[in-house]
Amino acid sequence: GVIIFLFMLGMPERALTQEVGIEFSKGSWKKQLNQAKRQKKLIFLDCHTKWCGFCKVLAQYVFTDPEVARFYNQHFVNVEMDMEEGVGVELVKRYGIHAYPTLLFIKANWKIIMPVIWHPRN
């Protein structure tokens, strides 16, 4: 499943004609962990900051791709988080995040399955 996402990251940017995208869960981190546990899904955590240019590219061109969105909406509890605010600051320390965007696949018990640091090809 993760391989599909990584393949999609290498696809060329295309004009967006639809308002389709990954549906990011709202609410507290605790609520999102509970939702993942209840639904027996992993959390897909988009770790970003306001100043991160690559984060904006990822959000605009990858997270809005209908195929990516369909896959992620079906298989994950999707969470986007500014890592310089609120619980994001704690998670930066806990997971040793030092580059953005970082994409984490996390079990409901807080364990990371696979971290991905994304940078587009030049």
Side-chain angles (χ1 to χ4, degrees), residues 72-88:
Y72 276 73
N73 292 340
Q74 181 179 355
H75 295 286
F76 300 99
V77 172
N78 302 301
V79 179
E80 60 179 345
M81 189 177 297
D82 186 325
M83 303 312 283
E84 295 181 331
E85 297 180 357
V87 73

Side-chain angles (χ1 to χ4, degrees), residues 29 44-49 51-52 55 79-85 87-106 110 112 114-119:
W29 179 240
F44 164 63
L45 178 60
D46 167 34
C47 304
H48 65 267
T49 64
W51 51 263
C52 172
C55 300
V79 179
E80 60 179 345
M81 189 177 297
D82 186 325
M83 303 312 283
E84 295 181 331
E85 297 180 357
V87 73
V89 175
E90 175 189 340
L91 295 181
V92 164
K93 292 176 188 171
R94 180 181 191 114
Y95 295 126
I97 299 167
H98 58 274
Y100 300 100
T102 293
L103 311 173
L104 301 178
F105 297 87
I106 303 171
W110 294 64
I112 292 180
M114 182 170 81
V116 177
I117 299 173
W118 182 79
H119 291 280

